[in-house]
Amino acid sequence: MATKTYRYQSEYAQMLRAEGEAKVLLMILDGRGVVIPDEVRRRITSCTDTTVLEAWIERAVHADRLCEVFGSGLEEGEEAGGDQGDGPHAVHVEPGAA
């Protein structure tokens, strides 16, 4: 009797998978010494698209700066961890654009 393998099909399972991938991404960036502004951290932890998270993880493994992970949408001050207040941080990565 053959059994079928289902790849994380439930909404709850997808959410847990995304949370885990976000945690891995933050750990990689932290381990590489990349400063993560609060707004970028929220962007990562609120992302539920595992395809986007996986692309960010692949980039983060070799990244020394946030723009190497998220593209050139980050301002110079954000790159250096400058303004971490309430101002908007331009981390715009569309799903599928990874």
Side-chain angles (χ1 to χ4, degrees):
M1 171 186 238
T3 59
K4 294 183 181 181
T5 303
Y6 295 97
R7 184 178 165 98
Y8 311 110
Q9 290 186 343
S10 77
E11 186 176 323
Y12 181 68
Q14 286 289 343
M15 180 194 68
L16 290 177
R17 182 171 173 226
E19 285 179 8
E21 289 186 4
K23 183 176 179 179
V24 167
L25 175 57
L26 292 170
M27 290 172 64
I28 291 170
L29 290 171
D30 184 54
R32 296 196 55 77
V34 177
V35 175
I36 309 167
D38 290 340
E39 184 63 29
V40 175
R41 184 175 299 276
R42 281 190 291 275
R43 168 80 168 152
I44 292 169
T45 57
S46 66
C47 182
T48 59
D49 187 332
T50 56
T51 303
V52 171
L53 286 163
E54 288 169 1
W56 289 345
I57 289 169
E58 287 178 19
R59 294 179 195 155
V61 171
H62 303 287
D64 294 318
R65 302 180 315 162
L66 284 176
C67 70
E68 295 173 33
V69 178
F70 299 104
S72 60
L74 294 174
E75 298 297 325
E76 202 57 41
E78 295 165 327
E79 191 66 37
D83 176 27
Q84 294 187 25
D86 294 330
H89 293 276
V91 180
H92 301 287
V93 177
E94 295 297 321

